[in-house]
Amino acid sequence: MIRAALFGLEIALLAIALGCGGNHQYGNAASTNEKPIGAPIQIETPLGLPPVPIPANNPETAEGVALGRKLFYEKKVSRDGTVACASCHNPLLGFTDGQKHSTGIGGKTGTRNAPTVINAAYFPSLFWDGRAASLEDQADKPISNPVEMGQSQGHDVWVKKLGADPVYKAAFQKAFGPGPATIGKVTKALAAFERTVISGNSPFDRYEFGGDKKALSAAATRGLAIFRDPKKGNCATCHTIGAKYALFSDGKFHNIGVGVNGEGELTDLGRYSETKVESDKGAFKTPILRDVAETAPYMHDGSLKTLKSVVDFYAGGGNSNPYLDKEIKEIKLTGRERADLVEFLKSLTGEMPPRVGPPGIAETTSLK
Amino acid sequence: MNRSTLFIEFVKKLGTDLSAVIQVVEEAMAPMQARLSVPNFFPLLIFCGAIAILTGCSQPATKEAQPKATAKQEAPPTYFKVDPSTAATLTGSVRYTGPRPARKRIDMSGDPACVEAHHGRAYDESIVENRNRTLANVFVYIKSGLEGKKFETPKTPVTIDQQGCWFRPRVLGIQTGQTLQVTNSDPVTHNIHPLAEVNREWNHSQGQGDPPISRRFVKPEVMIRVKCNIHSWMHAFIGVLDHPYFAVTGEDGTFEIHNVPPGDYVLAAWQEELGTQEQKISVAPSGKIETNFTFKGK
Ligand SMILES: [Cu+2]
């Protein structure tokens, strides 16, 4: 049995190795000679957050982060030069775009709501369906997506062109040493920058982890109690709060009944597309709730416009469907309790580090 | 060196970050291990998982239609045709002789938006007595006598609106397979929840400005109690029948049921607090049959 299982694992690994590394020329081939060579830096962790996990093959460096930041705001990354990562992950809108569904090149729209970059460094997988295992793995997918940045022909051409620009040429060499720009370096630099987009030290953090009992209003304090109480909001079951820090996500996938149409059918199978596990149908990754007041509209399909409508959605027990998570059920909450929950969610707006906006501006002042 | 170590070496040579790969596999495997304990198929399952991951590596999830049961090729049903030259009409009135129902105020203060949306005071409507000592919101229907006859499903939907944090209408009838259209005219979120017992129970959230939802009930069920999961005072009742012979009394307490084929029937009148009354009736060709019901109160 063990032998059989190991053999299965080998097949699985082989399939993945071939699928991700070998079957297309623009895959995110992370090879060791693409390791950042710049000055190592530490990401400062604000109150309420654990140390940022950093992969061994992509250490944080000043030059790597600077390049990633430049690339993040670079429209030339898209096929027609109109869309940057920041177009849908706008720092002024909590690193989202305020839209129900995002608009890519040529006005094309997707079917899902742009998730925030804030604290994405802590996620064990990326995208609403978790199809990317790391920020490095995630970064090239919106670039090649035909309805996002449109480089669907592959990364070679645009990376070569961008890498020939003298400013970028120097930036790539400072970050990764001699050699041409590659998609591997692009994704590593983007990931290194994204790991610095950390938000903590919110009123909630100062209340919960900083000992400042005045940091939250009375309504927000009541809201926090409802958020935690398994018999009330039951929110913290998935939007986790730890003893020393709070990620506000279990990193798992749940069907909460969003995306069920008027006929009661699921419009997006979510996690199931990845796992083909029946019970994953309609399940999506638990989003981190930090800065949630700034990232409307909500849910994977952007179907809920306000925090109040989100709380009402949960209070009503969502939308029934055969795969609804067992934790989702009708909650008896008074109007005041629902208002308290909204007040608590607003207290999760934290402080962002200074160097996450577009390069050249807001270097020293916070965006907020 | 066993096969696994060899393989790991191979992956290393490929330059792939093995830890990331293993993480992916473990993640994909965990739910499968949890849900399926068929050891002999285990490698196959992992392989399937790998294929799933492989598909996810390069492109975002493609929409996949939910698997649908292959429709059986059935001959179109033969519907019962009512002969207009012999069709009868049932009329009647529902009297009320019980004590005047107390005017119970509904407290909507739990949702301030509802207080505003309702425009004025809301009162309990579980017994609505009309000025002429009759009852409104009584569901009158042919309970038996139509067995074996199949009636066509109307194409037009029946609508229930959530308006002023209230269901309108409160009592309605619908045929099996007919579309129930649910609308929300309010600036608040409702969550309609028909507590069906014969049909499938469901609930659905509808926020401000959300489009109508459309559902069907496949089996006869009199009555389905409907509630809103968010506003405890919101109630409605849906009578589902496999024929079109039903009516709901209005402000004058009367009902009219048209196009009834001649025959012997049991006519029933249902009131949400006062229960159901039945009367046997014989309908002659082209007849006009008057049937009156009297509810005495609780
Ligand atoms: Cu309601």
Side-chain angles (χ1 to χ4, degrees):
Chain A
M1 165 56 201
I2 291 167
R3 187 175 284 264
L6 273 173
F7 179 62
L9 185 68
E10 284 170 25
I11 293 173
L13 286 168
L14 180 64
I16 293 157
L18 293 176
C20 288
N23 79 335
H24 46 71
Q25 77 283 17
Y26 52 94
N28 182 8
S31 71
T32 42
N33 59 10
E34 288 178 346
K35 205 165 174 174
I37 57 151
I41 54 166
Q42 284 278 327
I43 300 173
E44 270 182 58
T45 306
L47 184 66
L49 287 169
V52 177
I54 311 285
N57 64 358
N58 191 20
E60 294 287 309
T61 63
E63 292 80 0
V65 170
L67 173 61
R69 182 181 180 189
K70 198 168 162 56
L71 288 166
F72 188 85
Y73 290 94
E74 181 57 75
K75 290 182 175 174
K76 285 178 199 154
V77 172
S78 66
R79 189 179 172 91
D80 65 358
T82 61
V83 177
C85 301
S87 304
C88 300
H89 303 286
N90 182 340
L92 299 174
L93 296 167
F95 282 87
T96 62
D97 58 6
Q99 305 296 310
K100 185 173 158 67
H101 300 148
S102 302
T103 307
I105 59 159
K108 292 174 186 166
T109 49
T111 56
R112 292 181 184 164
N113 181 256
T116 180
V117 176
I118 296 167
N119 295 0
Y122 296 102
F123 270 132
S125 69
L126 282 301
F127 291 118
W128 281 107
D129 55 17
R131 67 184 183 277
S134 66
L135 286 171
E136 284 82 355
D137 186 21
Q138 184 274 340
D140 71 316
K141 307 222 169 18
I143 301 175
S144 59
N145 190 317
V147 301
E148 293 181 44
M149 296 161 94
Q151 303 283 15
S152 45
Q153 304 304 306
H155 293 298
D156 290 353
V157 175
W158 76 263
V159 172
K160 199 174 171 187
K161 198 173 159 196
L162 194 75
D165 174 295
V167 177
Y168 272 106
K169 191 172 182 176
F172 271 102
Q173 295 194 349
K174 269 204 254 175
F176 292 98
T182 64
I183 186 64
K185 291 175 186 174
V186 168
T187 55
K188 280 190 170 179
L190 281 170
F193 165 67
E194 286 165 343
R195 288 196 176 92
T196 69
V197 184
I198 296 299
S199 171
N201 197 24
S202 65
F204 157 77
D205 295 302
R206 294 198 290 275
Y207 173 91
E208 181 75 11
F209 305 113
D212 178 4
K213 294 298 160 196
K214 287 187 187 132
L216 289 187
S217 68
T221 309
R222 291 194 301 266
L224 170 59
I226 297 163
F227 188 91
R228 282 183 148 142
D229 186 347
K231 293 198 181 78
K232 283 282 185 180
N234 195 25
C235 316
T237 299
C238 299
H239 297 286
T240 50
I241 299 176
K244 291 186 177 132
Y245 53 79
L247 290 181
F248 287 101
S249 171
D250 59 1
K252 292 181 182 155
F253 304 83
H254 303 274
N255 177 324
I256 61 165
V258 172
V260 178
N261 69 14
E263 281 78 43
E265 296 153 349
L266 293 169
T267 53
D268 186 339
L269 294 178
R271 183 62 176 160
Y272 174 83
S273 309
E274 283 307 292
T275 63
K276 302 296 175 209
V277 173
E278 186 79 358
S279 57
D280 282 342
K281 281 185 175 170
F284 292 85
K285 191 163 53 117
T286 309
I288 286 166
L289 298 185
R290 289 177 175 280
D291 294 83
V292 72
E294 307 200 340
T295 63
Y298 303 103
M299 304 300 178
H300 75 266
D301 57 359
S303 58
L304 299 178
K305 296 179 196 82
T306 61
L307 288 175
K308 183 182 188 307
S309 62
V310 170
V311 170
D312 287 345
F313 179 85
Y314 281 112
N319 295 324
S320 56
N321 72 88
Y323 311 99
L324 192 72
D325 195 285
K326 63 172 175 26
E327 296 291 345
I328 301 296
K329 49 202 164 215
E330 182 187 341
I331 312 166
K332 287 274 168 251
L333 292 176
T334 66
R336 196 185 84 165
E337 287 171 324
R338 282 182 275 140
D340 289 345
L341 266 178
V342 171
E343 282 311 301
F344 166 67
L345 291 171
K346 287 182 186 165
S347 82
L348 297 178
T349 302
E351 286 170 3
M352 208 84 77
R355 290 181 188 82
V356 295
I361 64 159
E363 288 286 348
T364 49
T365 51
S366 173
L367 286 160
K368 283 175 226 154
Chain B
M1 213 185 245
N2 65 28
R3 259 192 320 185
S4 299
T5 3
L6 266 174
F7 184 74
I8 286 165
E9 288 303 310
F10 167 65
V11 172
K12 273 184 188 158
K13 280 198 192 101
L14 271 179
T16 310
D17 186 339
L18 187 62
S19 63
V21 170
I22 287 172
Q23 196 188 331
V24 175
V25 175
E26 281 171 350
E27 201 179 323
M29 275 163 53
M32 285 192 265
Q33 281 174 308
R35 285 173 185 105
L36 299 153
S37 51
V38 192
N40 288 342
F41 295 139
F42 193 50
L44 184 66
L45 287 170
I46 297 176
F47 185 65
C48 295
I51 295 291
I53 293 158
L54 194 153
T55 329
C57 276
S58 53
Q59 287 300 311
T62 44
K63 270 198 198 174
E64 192 179 300
Q66 273 188 283
K68 276 177 187 153
T70 41
K72 271 184 270 173
Q73 285 298 315
E74 271 175 38
T78 348
Y79 295 116
F80 180 76
K81 285 268 184 301
V82 182
D83 178 2
S85 65
T86 61
T89 300
L90 311 183
T91 62
S93 172
V94 181
R95 293 180 177 286
Y96 181 64
T97 57
R100 179 140 294 171
R103 258 164 90 77
K104 255 199 312 195
R105 182 99 184 260
I106 298 286
D107 179 16
M108 292 191 182
S109 61
D111 200 330
C114 285
V115 177
E116 229 165 274
H118 196 81
H119 301 300
R121 295 178 170 189
Y123 292 93
D124 173 58
E125 287 182 1
S126 54
I127 298 177
V128 178
E129 186 191 1
N130 296 318
R131 287 204 179 129
N132 61 356
R133 297 284 288 163
T134 60
L135 290 171
N137 287 344
V138 175
F139 185 69
V140 182
Y141 66 105
I142 291 183
K143 191 176 178 185
S144 64
L146 291 161
E147 291 76 11
K149 296 186 175 71
K150 231 175 150 61
F151 295 90
E152 203 167 352
T153 306
K155 303 263 186 299
T156 48
V158 173
T159 299
I160 185 166
D161 188 26
Q162 297 160 112
Q163 191 192 341
C165 291
W166 211 253
F167 286 118
R168 293 181 197 279
R170 183 183 184 87
V171 178
L172 56 115
I174 191 168
Q175 267 180 254
T176 47
Q178 189 175 9
T179 299
L180 174 72
Q181 183 169 281
V182 184
T183 55
N184 181 11
S185 305
D186 281 336
V188 300
T189 303
H190 294 290
N191 195 308
I192 187 170
H193 185 174
L195 298 150
E197 289 169 16
V198 179
N199 288 281
R200 188 196 291 168
E201 184 181 346
W202 53 268
N203 69 286
H204 202 92
S205 178
Q206 242 178 336
Q208 178 178 16
D210 281 355
I213 69 170
S214 298
R215 296 292 179 103
R216 291 172 178 81
F217 299 100
V218 292
K219 291 173 195 152
E221 185 170 357
V222 179
M223 304 287 284
I224 298 174
R225 189 184 182 87
V226 180
K227 65 169 188 166
C228 170
N229 278 359
I230 297 174
H231 307 110
S232 57
W233 60 82
M234 288 175 70
H235 292 288
F237 298 86
I238 301 175
V240 187
L241 291 163
D242 55 6
H243 62 72
Y245 303 112
F246 53 83
V248 179
T249 59
E251 284 180 353
D252 62 357
T254 64
F255 65 89
E256 273 188 34
I257 299 172
H258 299 277
N259 204 35
V260 182
D264 293 335
Y265 303 108
V266 172
L267 191 66
W270 169 97
Q271 205 284 341
E272 63 176 274
E273 290 281 324
L274 309 174
T276 305
Q277 294 188 8
E278 297 177 3
Q279 290 190 43
K280 284 185 179 160
I281 55 170
S282 279
V283 178
S286 308
K288 240 189 176 343
I289 310 288
E290 188 180 327
T291 314
N292 296 313
F293 294 91
T294 302
F295 284 93
K296 291 198 177 77
K298 280 194 269 190

